[in-house]
């Protein structure tokens, strides 16, 4: 067997991993880019002879050499950038508060037929675990109502936390936001208006914590974090999407 078939099959498997979320209705820049790169690398190894011939032709001309140098630099830059962002994402994935002088802010996510999506359930579970162990801490559940949601994300989160045993008076609802920036900005006002601790503990998915903390910093919010755990088949898609999200936010704010 040609040894080049092995990496070709491995990259085909990676393509399928990025494609898996599509079957549950999740299509974004993360799995789009993941599928495109995986498919390209798989095809390169499947058709290694033609690829090698193409490289040879490029090396035979000045323009071809320039193209290869630029392409190589772009690839190296992309890899380095992805690694650096990933290091910071891992670092910020879990940074719990040292004491109870904090307000938990749970960021919203999709609600389906009045029930939390899998990702939102994981966030609710993480918030419940912390709140149940720290009776003196209050929470703001943050998320508006989308056009395809029958209740707001905030209402869904509060109902779930109350059902689990968290006293309703410990939970404040922010039900107007439509994105992470509004989650944090609107929650900051609720915290100030109700005299809650201004240092917050963000509850969101592990891959999302870095960008959430970058946004919190923009609004002068000191933040710790507690993360929900993303499903294994969704993590690659959302992790790659965050590479783009963090880069975009860093460049354009």
């Amino acid at each position: 067997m040609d040894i080049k078939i092995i990496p070709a099959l491995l990259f085909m498997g990676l393509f399928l991993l990025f494609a898996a979320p599509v079957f549950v209705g999740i299509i974004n820049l993360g799995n789009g880019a993941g599928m495109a790169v995986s498919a390209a690398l798989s095809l390169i190894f499947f058709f290694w002879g033609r690829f090698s011939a193409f490289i040879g032709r490029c090396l035979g001309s000045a323009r071809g050499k320039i193209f290869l140098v630029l392409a190589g630099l772009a690839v190296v830059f992309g890899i380095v950038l992805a690694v650096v962002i990933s290091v910071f994402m891992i670092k910020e994935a879990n940074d719990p508060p040292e004491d109870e002088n904090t307000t938990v802010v749970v960021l919203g996510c999709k609600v389906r037929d009045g029930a939390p999506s899998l990702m939102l359930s994981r966030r609710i579970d993480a918030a419940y675990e912390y709140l149940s162990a720290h009776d003196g801490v209050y929470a703001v559940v943050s998320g508006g109502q989308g056009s395809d949601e029958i209740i707001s994300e905030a209402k869904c989160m509060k109902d779930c936390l109350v059902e689990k045993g968290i006293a309703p008076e410990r939970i404040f609802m922010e039900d107007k936001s439509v994105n992470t920036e509004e989650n944090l900005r609107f929650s900051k006002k609720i915290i100030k208006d109700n005299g809650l601790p201004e240092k917050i503990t963000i509850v969101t998915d592990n891959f999302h914590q870095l960008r959430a903390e970058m946004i919190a910093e923009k609004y002068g919010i000191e933040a710790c974090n507690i993360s929900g755990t993303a499903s294994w088949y969704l993590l690659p898609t959302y992790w790659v999407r965050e590479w783009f999200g963090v880069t975009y936010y860093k460049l354009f704010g």
Side-chain angles (χ1 to χ4, degrees):
M1 183 180 70
D2 189 342
I3 195 170
K4 291 185 288 295
I5 294 297
I6 296 175
L9 292 175
L10 289 175
F11 284 118
M12 183 58 67
L14 189 61
F15 172 86
L16 295 175
L17 180 60
F18 278 108
V22 175
F23 295 99
V24 292
I26 297 172
I27 303 173
N28 57 43
L29 191 55
N31 54 0
M35 286 189 290
V37 172
S38 300
L41 290 171
S42 183
L43 289 172
I44 284 173
F45 283 100
F46 270 124
F47 300 100
W48 184 257
R50 294 184 181 182
F51 178 72
S52 298
F54 170 74
I55 297 296
R57 288 194 298 272
C58 288
L59 290 173
S61 67
R63 288 184 179 180
K65 290 177 181 178
I66 293 173
F67 168 77
L68 290 180
V69 169
L70 293 176
L73 289 173
V75 169
V76 170
F77 176 78
I79 292 172
V80 171
L81 183 63
V83 170
V84 170
I85 293 174
S86 293
V87 168
F88 282 101
M89 287 171 66
I90 293 169
K91 179 177 178 293
E92 299 299 334
N94 197 47
D95 178 27
E98 296 179 354
D99 53 46
E100 293 192 355
N101 184 34
T102 187
T103 301
V104 169
V105 176
V106 191
L107 305 188
C109 194
K110 190 70 176 177
V111 171
R112 293 189 173 91
D113 299 323
S117 60
L118 178 59
M119 282 188 175
L120 188 55
S121 293
R122 299 284 175 83
R123 298 181 188 186
I124 293 169
D125 290 343
Y128 168 73
E129 184 176 342
Y130 182 80
L131 291 170
S132 61
H134 300 84
D135 293 337
V137 176
Y138 289 79
V140 178
V141 288
S142 178
Q145 180 177 348
S147 59
D148 57 348
E149 296 173 325
I150 61 175
I151 61 172
S152 70
E153 294 163 7
K155 178 73 164 60
C156 178
M157 287 187 280
K158 181 173 182 177
D159 289 347
C160 289
L161 287 170
V162 171
E163 286 177 10
K164 287 175 174 288
I166 303 299
E169 58 268 21
R170 293 176 62 195
I171 307 171
F172 294 81
M173 288 202 307
E174 182 291 295
D175 59 1
K176 304 300 181 185
S177 57
V178 298
N179 55 42
T180 302
E181 189 160 358
E182 289 186 356
N183 286 152
L184 295 169
R185 182 156 53 92
F186 296 169
S187 294
K188 180 181 180 179
K189 185 177 187 306
I190 289 175
I191 288 169
K192 183 177 181 180
D193 290 347
N194 290 277
L196 301 176
E198 293 185 5
K199 181 177 181 178
I200 70 170
T201 297
I202 300 171
V203 179
T204 185
D205 298 285
N206 48 12
F207 56 79
H208 187 221
Q209 288 289 6
L210 174 61
R211 186 155 55 97
E213 290 203 26
M214 290 168 60
I215 295 171
E217 184 179 355
K218 172 184 176 180
Y219 288 104
I221 303 171
E222 185 180 355
C224 296
N225 63 66
I226 297 170
S227 296
T229 304
S231 299
W232 65 269
Y233 71 96
L234 296 177
L235 185 59
T237 285
Y238 282 100
W239 196 275
V240 172
R241 188 189 71 167
E242 284 302 302
W243 292 345
F244 293 98
V246 169
T247 302
Y248 182 87
Y249 191 80
K250 202 68 177 174
L251 290 175
F252 303 105

